[in-house]
Amino acid sequence: MTDLAAPAPPIRLGVNVDHVATLRQARGTHYPDVVAAARLAMHAGAQSITVHLREDRRHIQDADVETLCGIADLPVNLEMALTEEMIGIACARRPRDCCLVPESREELTTEGGLDIAGQKTRVADGLTRLGAAGIRAALFIDPDAEQIRAAAEAGAHHIELHTGAYADAVDVASRRAELARLIEGAELAESLGMEVHAGHGLHVDNVGDIAAIPAIVELNIGHALIARAVFIGLDDAVLEMRAAMDAGRQRIV
Ligand code: PXP
């Protein structure tokens, strides 16, 4: 896959393939193939592949992580809870990146950012252990100044801002307010020396405003992109998302 080494565009796209595995797990079949999806997404223009190994293994399985991390030059971003089990798996499989997320079994998806301020020492220890294994570790947090400062103090090299509240906003005013929080949060994180990523609930119609935030350099997108792929194919869904991101990015003067 020669295109894995292609120069990165101004804003990178990480494609989350969890829901390819959701479809597979629904029937206990060996298809659709998560690895084939990852290769197709990379070929269509993604810069990395994200998978979330959840505690209940509802979609991605340990074997998927092992296989994906074993593919030379495939930039894998492993989302996981900050637990001994997950730190052990990450250190054994060595994805390029990890993103520490909060996790509760009952939730449908990751519902809020990680509380760094309330457990700074534990987070710092997790970041140190992942860093020692050569993994770049990020923290998935809400665009909240206290959490962003705590992430920097815990030693995070980069953070991923949770865009769920923005994506779920029910009216124009609250959507604008959530966008403003993301802009302020991204600027604060950048000023503290951290690289800023964002994700959750993004789709072609709402991604432009997020891609237009200069401090944000990577978006991780899954559910809407995989859902769109059901109708137009994964490669076209990646191209369509890329185009929407690029259109937003061009608004930066
Ligand atoms: N980033 C993180 C940290 C996530 O937990 C998720 C959901 O797994 C995403 C991005 C992607 O969210 P979505 O599937 O809504 O695009």
Side-chain angles (χ1 to χ4, degrees):
M1 296 174 79
T2 49
D3 54 340
L4 290 180
I11 184 160
R12 305 188 296 265
L13 170 62
V15 171
N16 179 317
V17 294
D18 288 352
H19 297 300
V20 175
T22 301
L23 203 51
R24 180 191 64 195
Q25 296 308 112
R27 282 289 184 91
T29 48
H30 62 278
Y31 63 84
D33 181 357
V34 167
V35 173
R39 288 189 186 281
L40 200 53
M42 291 298 294
H43 194 70
Q47 278 68 54
S48 56
I49 296 300
T50 295
V51 287
H52 185 173
L53 186 64
R54 292 189 71 102
E55 191 191 351
D56 63 7
R57 307 301 197 265
R58 69 177 68 160
H59 36 56
I60 292 296
Q61 305 295 302
D62 297 60
D64 295 320
V65 174
E66 182 177 354
T67 307
L68 289 167
C69 291
I71 298 174
D73 300 330
L74 181 68
V76 176
N77 173 31
L78 177 63
E79 290 174 358
M80 55 181 228
L82 177 51
T83 61
E84 276 306 312
E85 182 198 20
M86 291 298 161
I87 296 270
I89 291 170
C91 291
R93 300 298 167 221
R94 296 182 185 240
R96 187 187 68 182
D97 297 285
C98 267
C99 185
L100 297 176
V101 302
E103 190 173 310
S104 111
R105 271 174 190 264
E106 292 73 35
E107 67 191 2
L108 276 179
T109 181
T110 314
E111 279 167 6
L114 194 63
D115 174 28
I116 317 293
Q119 49 170 349
K120 219 185 298 173
T121 309
R122 184 164 164 251
V123 172
D125 178 59
L127 292 175
T128 303
R129 289 168 67 191
L130 291 166
I135 301 163
R136 302 189 311 188
L139 303 172
F140 186 48
I141 56 178
D142 291 322
D144 174 276
E146 187 192 4
Q147 296 295 343
I148 293 167
R149 289 187 200 286
E153 284 159 19
H157 165 264
H158 54 297
I159 57 166
E160 180 169 328
L161 291 177
H162 198 316
T163 51
Y166 157 81
D168 294 341
V170 289
D171 54 50
V172 174
S174 43
R175 188 179 142 137
R176 281 207 188 116
E178 291 303 333
L179 185 60
R181 285 181 76 211
L182 287 161
I183 293 168
E184 272 174 37
E187 286 172 357
L188 173 62
E190 189 185 44
S191 75
L192 293 170
M194 294 184 290
E195 186 175 298
V196 190
H197 304 176
H200 212 285
L202 298 178
H203 49 70
V204 287
D205 296 320
N206 68 11
V207 77
D209 284 342
I210 302 299
I213 301 173
I216 294 180
V217 297
E218 178 174 314
L219 300 179
N220 284 302
I221 305 179
H223 187 266
L225 199 154
I226 301 301
R228 183 73 173 137
V230 172
F231 292 98
I232 65 171
L234 184 53
D235 42 5
D236 280 347
V238 171
L239 288 171
E240 186 182 68
M241 187 61 74
R242 184 75 254 170
M245 286 167 60
D246 291 343
R249 201 65 172 179
Q250 275 166 16
R251 284 192 241 147
I252 300 175
V253 283

